[in-house]
Amino acid sequence: MDLGDFIEFCEHLQGSEACFPFDDRVLVYKYNTKMYAFADTLNFSRINVKCEAEKAIELRERYPEITPGFHMNKKYWNTLSTQGNLSDSLIQQMIKDSYTLIVNSKKSRKKG
């Protein structure tokens, strides 16, 4: 996956917003105010995504290109290498899973 593919995929998720809250390099995708994916636009070698805690561990054990979230809560965030052997479809699925976690957490808060 390259930067263009990342941007195109995230832009098609309903309600997704792109921003640069940290600096002019790190592109963050949010749903409402919650981040679900981000990457460095100048050095697109990894993507950070949110994940269910148990699944995060399982994915790290299965794929060497998936590591605990760089600069994030390592229980819930994974870093995906874009330089390794992860397929685009797996990366896209993990981005979508991250997005879905955020969307569902927003919906459950509205109910309660």
Side-chain angles (χ1 to χ4, degrees), residues 17-71:
E17 298 176 31
C19 61
F20 289 88
F22 305 118
D23 56 30
D24 59 352
R25 293 177 57 152
V26 179
L27 174 60
V28 174
Y29 279 95
K30 296 180 178 184
Y31 177 83
N32 286 336
T33 60
K34 294 286 204 170
M35 295 189 307
Y36 69 86
F38 64 92
D40 186 323
T41 58
L42 298 181
N43 178 18
F44 188 73
S45 61
R46 58 186 175 217
I47 302 168
N48 277 16
V49 294
K50 196 162 189 175
C51 193
E52 293 176 349
E54 297 81 24
K55 188 172 182 181
I57 293 168
E58 176 187 319
L59 289 165
R60 292 174 202 159
E61 290 173 350
R62 187 169 177 193
Y63 301 99
E65 298 90 356
I66 300 176
T67 57
F70 183 70
H71 287 297

